Amino acid sequence: ENSYIGIIDANGDGAPAAVAKVYDLGKATFGSFVKVSPDGSFALFVDSISYEIFSINLTDYDVAEVVPSSGSFDGAFDLAFIDSQNCYFSANPAWGTTNEILHLDLSNGNIVEVASIDNTFSGPIDVDDSGNLYYVENKANYPAKPGDYTLLNFEAGKLASALNGGPVLGVEDARVIASGLDGGYDVAWH
């Protein structure tokens, strides 16, 4: 909420819950995502103004900045957990028309580019239970036009190959799930 990270304890009694401030960033922020880890022990929050990622312990609400050991979080737009120590995030670091999908190892802060999609703005991502990644590509039109969005799927094996030194994947390495969509701000695997 503006300059701080808050926790809302919704106890289910029907009464609005108050926001409890757990960490003051000391400056205006704009969060593009808050994601809870698969084990429920922490959440990740990105400040889309400074492109810093913070980890919030959901037991004691301690907050620590996630510091990359390589690369950066510039242009971070969305994040999807693979497991509690690994995730992918979607970023457009140059504010241009190339979106990158990067792997982040939370145990050491290492960032590796696994996919690069040209002629698109930042897109949302999610990962299914098998490690396959879903990504919403758009045609980099501003304003967006009807039919500009395509839902793509990158297979887990291809992502693992790119992570382990193989070539960075492109749109030609993805399977089209749906095309001609009129919008696509977020995607969630169910």
Side-chain angles (χ1 to χ4, degrees), residues 102-120:
L102 304 125
H103 177 273
L104 169 62
D105 183 335
L106 291 166
S107 67
N108 61 21
N110 194 36
I111 297 172
V112 175
E113 183 179 15
V114 294
S116 181
I117 299 94
D118 291 327
N119 303 314
T120 187

Side-chain angles (χ1 to χ4, degrees), residues 10-128:
N11 59 15
D13 66 1
V19 177
K21 185 189 294 189
V22 297
Y23 186 75
D24 192 333
L25 294 159
K27 61 185 177 186
T29 64
F30 182 84
S32 67
F33 64 75
V34 176
K35 303 286 179 154
V36 176
S37 66
D39 65 7
S41 66
F42 68 97
L44 294 179
F45 165 80
V46 68
D47 173 6
S48 291
I49 295 173
S50 63
Y51 293 112
E52 297 169 299
I53 295 180
F54 297 91
S55 177
I56 305 122
N57 181 309
L58 296 177
T59 302
D60 58 16
Y61 302 132
D62 275 350
V63 175
E65 184 178 349
V66 177
V67 178
S69 61
S70 64
S72 76
F73 300 128
D74 287 352
F77 178 77
D78 197 11
L79 180 136
F81 278 99
I82 303 164
D83 57 41
S84 289
Q85 289 302 308
N86 295 279
C87 54
Y88 294 113
F89 70 98
S90 170
N92 188 334
W95 285 98
T97 57
T98 298
N99 191 83
E100 297 174 355
I101 298 173
L102 304 125
H103 177 273
L104 169 62
D105 183 335
L106 291 166
S107 67
N108 61 21
N110 194 36
I111 297 172
V112 175
E113 183 179 15
V114 294
S116 181
I117 299 94
D118 291 327
N119 303 314
T120 187
F121 297 130
S122 296
I125 60 173
D126 202 6
V127 175
D128 68 20

